[in-house]
Amino acid sequence: MADRYLRFTGTAPGRFLTRRLGLPQPAELRRWSAERPALDGEVLHLTAGKSAPDPAAPPAAVVLDATHVRDVEGLADVHAALAPRVRSVAASGRIVVLGAPLDPADHHQAAAQQALEGFTRSLGKEIGRGRTVNLVRLTDQAAAESTLRFLLSPKSAYVSGQVIEVAEGTGPADLRLGAAPRRAHRPRHRCRARDRRGRRRDARQGRRAGRRPRRTAGRGGRPAARRAPRRRGPRPRHHGRRRGRADRGGAARRPPRPGPQRGNHP
C-alpha cells in the first residue's frame, strides 16, 4: 500500500471516506530498524486449559501452548484462552500458537492438531491492525528457539497465517537470524549460457587489445569450428550487360526482327 494512501487514511476525513466507500484501512507495519530492533511491550505466555492473570498493559505478543490438545475439548480451551485477549494485543503485535506433530496412531489428536491450522489462518485474516498469527509445530523444542525469536520480532511483519514445522536436527546454526541464504542450484543450461557469454566477452576484449582470440573446445572435446567473418557493406552488383540464357547454359535467344526505322520512310 502506498505511503500517501496510508497517510490519508490516518486522518479524520480519510477514515470517514474510506468507511463510506468500503475501502481498506491499512495499518502501519512496524518493520525492523536499528533504532527499533524488538517489539515494544511484553510477551504473554498462555497454556490452553489453564487460567492466566490479565496483563496490566497491552501485550506486544502472545504465545499459546497447545501441544497437549488432543480432542474437541482441547480446541475449546484454545478458543477460551485467546478470545478475551486477542483485541488487547498491541498494533503490529504477534500471536504464536505452539502445536504438536500429527500422531498417525491417534486420529483424534491428528484431527485436533489439524484444526489448529484453520484456526490460525482464520484468525490471521480477521485480527487486522498489522498483527500476525502463526502456528509452530514443535518436533524438537530445543531447535525452536531461533524460530520463535524471528516470529516475535519486527522482522516477521509480512509473515502471517503460516504453519512452520521445526524438525529434529535443525539447530540455531541453521535458523539463526541474519544468516545468508543457501545458494540455490542453478539449471545446467543457465551455466552453459553464462560460459558462452564469458567466452564471447573474452574474445572481444582480445580483439580490442590486438591479440588473437583463443579457440575453445566444442562438444566432445573437439576444437570448435571457426566461423567465417561476416561480410559488411552492400552486396556487389553485376556490371555490364545482363547474362542471357546462353550464358547460363540454356538456349540462345533469337535476335529481334528489324523493324522500320525512323527517317527511312519515303
Side-chain angles (χ1 to χ4, degrees):
M1 196 67 65
D3 294 339
R4 185 178 301 177
Y5 179 77
L6 182 62
R7 291 192 297 268
F8 175 74
T9 55
T11 61
R15 288 192 295 268
F16 174 77
L17 290 177
T18 52
R19 290 174 182 174
R20 293 294 299 270
L21 299 177
L23 298 177
Q25 298 180 356
E28 183 179 2
L29 298 179
R30 297 180 181 178
R31 305 177 181 89
W32 182 91
S33 62
E35 294 78 13
R36 304 177 63 179
L39 298 176
D40 299 335
E42 298 181 356
V43 179
L44 178 61
H45 298 272
L46 300 176
T47 303
K50 297 182 180 180
S51 60
D54 295 334
V62 175
V63 178
L64 175 63
D65 185 7
T67 55
H68 62 280
V69 173
R70 309 185 69 87
D71 48 17
V72 179
E73 288 76 10
L75 294 175
D77 295 336
V78 171
H79 181 269
L82 280 180
R85 299 176 176 86
V86 165
R87 297 302 178 186
S88 63
V89 179
S92 297
R94 306 287 184 265
I95 296 179
V96 178
V97 181
L98 303 180
L102 306 182
D103 188 2
D106 189 354
H107 60 276
H108 293 284
Q109 187 269 354
Q113 291 294 329
Q114 196 75 19
L116 291 178
E117 297 185 11
F119 173 77
T120 301
R121 293 190 176 96
S122 299
L123 184 59
K125 293 180 180 180
E126 298 175 1
I127 192 170
R129 296 181 60 191
R131 293 171 288 196
T132 63
V133 184
N134 295 283
L135 173 63
V136 178
R137 296 194 182 280
L138 296 179
T139 305
D140 187 4
Q141 298 183 1
E145 178 184 357
S146 57
T147 305
L148 293 177
R149 284 192 288 108
F150 171 75
L151 294 177
L152 298 177
S153 68
K155 294 184 178 181
S156 61
Y158 295 96
V159 182
S160 182
Q162 302 300 317
V163 179
I164 303 174
E165 183 175 355
V166 182
E168 298 179 359
T170 54
D174 298 330
L175 298 174
R176 58 185 182 276
L177 298 179
R182 296 182 179 179
R183 188 175 182 180
H185 175 69
R186 293 178 298 177
R188 192 173 182 179
H189 65 275
R190 294 187 180 180
C191 298
R192 290 180 177 176
R194 186 193 63 178
D195 296 340
R196 288 194 297 267
R197 290 194 299 267
R199 289 196 298 267
R200 293 172 185 172
R201 182 178 63 252
D202 296 341
R204 288 194 302 267
Q205 294 177 357
R207 286 194 296 266
R208 292 174 184 174
R211 299 190 302 267
R212 186 176 181 181
R214 184 180 58 182
R215 297 180 64 182
T216 58
R219 295 183 178 179
R222 295 174 297 179
R226 183 175 298 174
R227 297 181 179 178
R230 296 181 58 183
R231 181 179 297 173
R232 299 182 181 273
R235 299 181 60 181
R237 298 181 179 179
H238 296 282
H239 299 282
R241 67 179 183 86
R242 187 175 182 181
R243 295 188 303 172
R245 297 177 63 182
D247 299 338
R248 294 195 298 267
R253 292 184 178 181
R254 294 182 179 180
R257 294 182 179 181
Q261 299 180 2
R262 183 177 302 179
N264 296 335
H265 297 282

